[in-house]
């Protein structure tokens, strides 16, 4: 199928592999990209209250991609949902392409933050949730997707420790667990969040119904984390 034929189509989950296949740039983080695909799709297709036409709506949900290395799945989902033109995908990673090896919020429509150093997304999400609370905006939810290896960074643990006692119940974290963390204990990710007063659920990160149920589980008065287990990075 040509790019011209792709324009104007309505896309489903089954199209994402083809959209990802259009991105032929020199990507060093293929497993990082594919590990996030199912969680991203369920969020954008069924959970997030966002749309291209309301990108500046104060009442929109905020989605922050902290696990920004290997963003092919993210770009494919944004293209499928109409945020970026499908025509952009083949240029991924090129010097003059807006689709870089880390998303840039200035260049990529729908991207709330630019990613880079691991460990910054969750602290930004905490600040975003606090800012929305201070403005009296109670409807928007804040979602941040992180990798399990990011939890080796101390900045995340400070954010986790703060968010629970602060009762940031509009804050949601998705941890993609592909067994790449250096210091994680078995079953320890959810326990770390729970110890800080979070609601926590661990699910199969490829099971769309399990992901949806976990994403929409009630958690009154507490922030919520979903640990999405996928195949190990080395597998």
């Amino acid at each position: 199928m040509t790019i011209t034929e792709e324009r104007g189509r309505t896309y489903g989950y089954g199209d994402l592999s083809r959209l990802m296949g259009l991105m032929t740039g020199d990507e060093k983080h293929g497993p990082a990209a594919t590990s996030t695909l199912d969680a991203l799709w369920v969020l954008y297709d069924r959970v997030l209250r966002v749309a291209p036409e309301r990108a500046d709506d104060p009442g929109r949900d905020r989605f922050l991609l902290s696990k920004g290395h290997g963003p092919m799945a993210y770009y494919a989902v944004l293209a499928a949902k109409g945020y970026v033109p499908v025509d952009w995908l083949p240029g991924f990673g090129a010097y003059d392409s807006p689709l870089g090896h880390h998303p840039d919020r200035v260049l990529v429509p729908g991207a709330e933050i630019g990613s880079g150093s691991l460990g910054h997304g969750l602290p930004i999400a905490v600040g975003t949730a606090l800012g929305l609370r201070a403005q009296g905006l109670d409807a928007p939810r804040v979602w941040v997707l992180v990798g399990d290896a990011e939890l080796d960074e101390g900045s995340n643990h400070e954010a986790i420790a703060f968010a629970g006692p602060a009762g940031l119940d509009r804050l949601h974290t998705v941890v993609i667990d592909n067994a790449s963390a250096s210091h994680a204990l078995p079953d320890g990710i959810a326990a770390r969040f729970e110890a800080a007063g979070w609601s926590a659920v661990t699910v199969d990160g490829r099971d769309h119904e399990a992901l949806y149920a976990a994403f929409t589980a009630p958690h009154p008065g507490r922030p919520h984390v979903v640990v999405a287990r996928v195949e190990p990075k080395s597998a």
Side-chain angles (χ1 to χ4, degrees), residues 66-82:
S66 185
K67 185 179 168 66
H69 54 291
M72 293 183 295
Y74 183 53
Y75 293 152
V77 170
L78 289 180
K81 293 301 181 181

Side-chain angles (χ1 to χ4, degrees), residues 78-165:
L78 289 180
K81 293 301 181 181
Y83 286 89
V84 303
V86 173
D87 308 55
W88 287 8
L89 299 181
F92 163 69
Y95 174 77
D96 58 350
S97 173
L99 304 182
H101 291 284
H102 279 263
D104 185 329
R105 71 178 185 86
V106 177
L107 300 177
V108 181
E112 296 279 358
I113 60 171
S115 69
S117 298
L118 294 177
H120 74 301
L122 183 51
I124 293 174
V126 169
T128 301
L130 285 170
L132 292 170
R133 175 188 282 181
Q135 296 175 73
L137 294 173
D138 298 325
R141 300 168 299 182
V142 179
W143 291 81
V144 57
L145 187 147
V146 307
D148 62 326
E150 287 191 73
L151 299 183
D152 291 341
E153 302 291 338
S155 55
N156 279 311
H157 292 281
E158 293 175 3
I160 293 167
F162 177 86

Side-chain angles (χ1 to χ4, degrees), residues 152-191:
D152 291 341
E153 302 291 338
S155 55
N156 279 311
H157 292 281
E158 293 175 3
I160 293 167
F162 177 86
L168 295 181
D169 58 357
R170 308 308 285 168
L171 176 62
H172 306 74
T173 299
V174 182
V175 180
I176 302 297
D177 180 7
N178 63 357
S180 60
S182 299
H183 306 297
L185 298 174
D187 300 317
I189 295 177

